[in-house]
Amino acid sequence: MKGFHERNGSLKCSSKTSTDSSPTSGTGSAPGPSDSKFSKTSLWSNFFASAFSVFDTISESSTSSSSTSACEKKPSFSKTNGWTSAVKRVVSGGSMRRIHERVMGPSKIGMSSSTSDIWLLGLCYKISQESSGDVDATKGLAAFKHDFSSRILMTYRKGFDAIGDTKITSDASWGCMLRSSQMLVAQALLFHRLGRSWRKPSQKPFDQTYIEILHQFGDSETSAFSIHNLVESGKTYGLAAGSWVGPYAMCRSWESLARSKREENDLDRQVLPMAVYVVSGDEDGERGGAPVVCIEDASRHCFEFSRHQADWTPILLLVPLVLGLDKVNPRYIPSLQATFTFPQCLGILGGKPGASTYIVGVQEENVFYLDPHDVQPVVNLSPDNLEVDTSSYHCDTIRHIPLDSIDPSLAIGFLCRDKDDFDDFCFRASKLAEESNGAPLFTVAQTHGGFKRIHHGNTMVDAGEVRADDSVGGVGTGDMDENSNEDDWQIL
């Protein structure tokens, strides 16, 4: 992590003071290479991930019989109940779970012994004891834990009204990517309406704005951003109740849902008071290469969102990426770490194959995440009930996994609250691309598909440039060596 901090010294703990102001995966399976491209480990990893993501709740009580109920049944597999029950008995017995964890690598609970800084959605927490002493280090750790537990958690739910024309009343075993995306958008609303410095109060009654935000993610069609409405809006992109979905389709589904809600309401009554911009590569994601944040496109999204009344509005950037073949290419790891230093950071939709999580922080090589793989009963969230129990929407258990173990198919979110915030984001993103040694997560350009250089003070990058080794309409064939000069971008 030392090298990461040295390379990004200008970003370290220098977030804009406006950060605290209130105006503010499943993981899909991308097209893969031929069998010869996969190692034996990745084949076993994919097998176990697919087999056990249906049963594994990833909870602390995994050895109890109740933990296996998190993903009990998949509606379309009723003919395999005998086989399902047999495998679940083996899994609950522990032997297959140990094999699974040996292949995939278990997640860890609690804090590591590291004293390196922690970055949580754009805020830096000093844990080092070298100069500040034990007292300050303890305060930093306590502040981090309070911030982490104040993030909104969305998990599997059971007992809600059936989704659409189906008989599905629970998203257990298939809704983890949808829940992860709900968490990211919920943080965007929380930051926008209550500010980055907001923390969940310990006593009731709660703030009505906080309850209203939770209500929008309730599990019924009457809640704007419910799993019911997400599935309906995402049909064009392959979303269906009972099926897994990847980050790219998930981002597009949010774009579609936001558009439909914008058309339903007046400008001053928008449930999502921000434009949504899904950042894709050239030709709207139909060509390989790093996605391009186009300034003109962002401005157009804001102008359309305001119904031609304002040049700029708050904007939610969703950047779906595929950063490798069967695992994240190590060349992208420093850039992924650095995104958590952005004051606009909303985290990452990612995890392991078939098991999406919401990644919110980083410390050295490990990332902290919120886990949706826990089945909880539906909560009736009335926007006027300020005494409602919201404990199921927060988590005190801190989980972390190595960043290089997550699935390469992921999506990053950013919230820019105004034009100045967007300009600051572009400055940081351009600098990050310049320091990426030829492997940027995304680039910044003034015009879509152009080669125009973007100047930010002393920073200058060839924004929007597509390298010659980016194959058209196909998957890059470069190897996974850290020093390779070829990219591993795939079609999104």
Side-chain angles (χ1 to χ4, degrees), residues 429-451:
S430 298
K431 186 172 180 59
L432 185 62
E434 184 183 51
E435 297 174 349
S436 66
N437 294 321
L441 297 175
F442 51 88
T443 58
V444 179
Q446 181 66 40
T447 60
H448 188 68
F451 297 90

Side-chain angles (χ1 to χ4, degrees), residues 395-458:
C395 180
D396 293 325
T397 302
I398 298 174
R399 295 179 172 88
H400 60 90
I401 54 174
L403 180 55
D404 61 5
S405 72
I406 69 173
D407 193 278
S409 180
L410 51 89
I412 311 177
F414 302 95
L415 173 64
C416 299
R417 292 161 293 184
D418 50 36
K419 183 61 164 61
D420 288 342
D421 206 25
F422 180 78
D423 288 343
D424 179 75
F425 165 79
C426 290
F427 167 77
R428 294 170 184 271
S430 298
K431 186 172 180 59
L432 185 62
E434 184 183 51
E435 297 174 349
S436 66
N437 294 321
L441 297 175
F442 51 88
T443 58
V444 179
Q446 181 66 40
T447 60
H448 188 68
F451 297 90
K452 188 173 181 178
R453 293 186 172 220
I454 305 299
H455 295 261
H456 291 287
N458 295 325

Side-chain angles (χ1 to χ4, degrees), residues 70 206 214 237 250 306 343 374 384 458:
F206 294 127
L214 292 182
Y237 304 103
M250 193 72 257
S306 70
D374 186 19
D384 298 323
N458 295 325

Side-chain angles (χ1 to χ4, degrees), residues 240-466:
S243 299
W244 290 303
V245 67
Y248 179 77
M250 193 72 257
C251 292
R252 286 298 182 189
S253 299
W254 273 103
E255 181 184 51
S256 177
L257 179 57
R259 185 185 305 114
S260 67
K261 294 303 177 184
R262 183 178 71 222
E263 295 170 353
E264 291 176 5
N265 300 292
D266 297 332
L267 184 60
D268 57 352
R269 297 175 56 207
Q270 291 296 321
V271 290
L272 188 65
M274 57 192 71
V276 177
Y277 175 19
V278 178
V279 180
S280 296
D282 281 4
E283 303 302 326
D284 198 26
E286 296 299 325
R287 176 173 178 168
V292 180
V293 177
C294 176
I295 295 175
E296 287 187 356
D297 282 356
S299 178
R300 175 176 54 82
H301 278 81
C302 292
F303 192 58
E304 292 175 353
F305 172 78
S306 70
R307 299 179 181 177
H308 305 171
Q309 295 183 24
D311 292 333
W312 210 267
T313 67
I315 185 169
L316 171 62
L317 305 177
L318 299 174
V319 190
L321 301 167
V322 181
L323 301 179
L325 301 178
D326 59 335
K327 65 177 183 178
V328 175
N329 188 314
R331 292 188 299 148
Y332 297 112
I333 296 295
S335 294
L336 282 174
Q337 292 170 319
T339 61
F340 289 97
T341 70
F342 286 30
Q344 302 83 10
C345 175
L346 287 174
I348 296 175
L349 306 181
K352 295 181 179 179
S356 175
T357 61
Y358 175 42
I359 300 172
V360 295
V362 63
Q363 184 186 35
E364 292 186 333
E365 306 303 323
N366 291 320
V367 288
F368 300 97
Y369 66 95
L370 291 168
D371 190 0
H373 299 85
D374 186 19
V375 184
Q376 302 189 84
V378 167
V379 176
N380 181 18
L381 288 168
S382 169
D384 298 323
N385 184 3
L386 306 185
E387 301 283 343
V388 66
D389 181 8
T390 64
S391 59
S392 64
Y393 287 91
H394 297 273
C395 180
D396 293 325
T397 302
I398 298 174
R399 295 179 172 88
H400 60 90
I401 54 174
L403 180 55
D404 61 5
S405 72
I406 69 173
D407 193 278
S409 180
L410 51 89
I412 311 177
F414 302 95
L415 173 64
C416 299
R417 292 161 293 184
D418 50 36
K419 183 61 164 61
D420 288 342
D421 206 25
F422 180 78
D423 288 343
D424 179 75
F425 165 79
C426 290
F427 167 77
R428 294 170 184 271
S430 298
K431 186 172 180 59
L432 185 62
E434 184 183 51
E435 297 174 349
S436 66
N437 294 321
L441 297 175
F442 51 88
T443 58
V444 179
Q446 181 66 40
T447 60
H448 188 68
F451 297 90
K452 188 173 181 178
R453 293 186 172 220
I454 305 299
H455 295 261
H456 291 287
N458 295 325
T459 302
M460 183 174 67
V461 296
D462 291 325
E465 184 175 354
V466 180

Side-chain angles (χ1 to χ4, degrees), residues 182 216-221 223-231:
Q182 283 182 322
Q216 292 180 16
F217 295 88
D219 295 297
S220 70
E221 292 181 359
S223 294
F225 307 129
S226 65
I227 196 169
H228 300 66
N229 291 326
L230 270 173
V231 168

Side-chain angles (χ1 to χ4, degrees), residues 141-249:
L141 186 58
F144 161 73
K145 291 180 177 179
H146 191 195
D147 191 354
F148 182 89
S149 63
S150 296
R151 299 309 104 219
I152 293 178
L153 170 72
M154 304 288 178
T155 70
Y156 291 151
R157 297 283 176 174
K158 62 181 179 180
F160 50 68
D161 292 338
I163 298 176
D165 298 329
T166 73
K167 296 182 180 180
I168 298 177
T169 59
S170 173
D171 62 311
S173 85
W174 60 270
C176 55
M177 174 56 76
L178 283 81
R179 297 299 184 182
S180 298
S181 71
Q182 283 182 322
M183 286 189 258
L184 187 148
V185 177
Q187 310 311 325
L189 281 171
L190 205 62
F191 294 169
H192 175 77
R193 299 188 64 184
L194 292 173
R196 180 63 183 88
S197 60
W198 180 87
R199 300 292 181 267
K200 181 190 173 184
S202 58
Q203 295 181 345
K204 301 176 183 179
F206 294 127
D207 186 288
Q208 185 165 4
T209 299
Y210 161 66
I211 298 299
E212 287 175 352
I213 291 173
L214 292 182
H215 170 72
Q216 292 180 16
F217 295 88
D219 295 297
S220 70
E221 292 181 359
T222 59
S223 294
F225 307 129
S226 65
I227 196 169
H228 300 66
N229 291 326
L230 270 173
V231 168
E232 179 64 27
S233 296
K235 286 182 177 178
T236 304
Y237 304 103
L239 260 71
S243 299
W244 290 303
V245 67
Y248 179 77

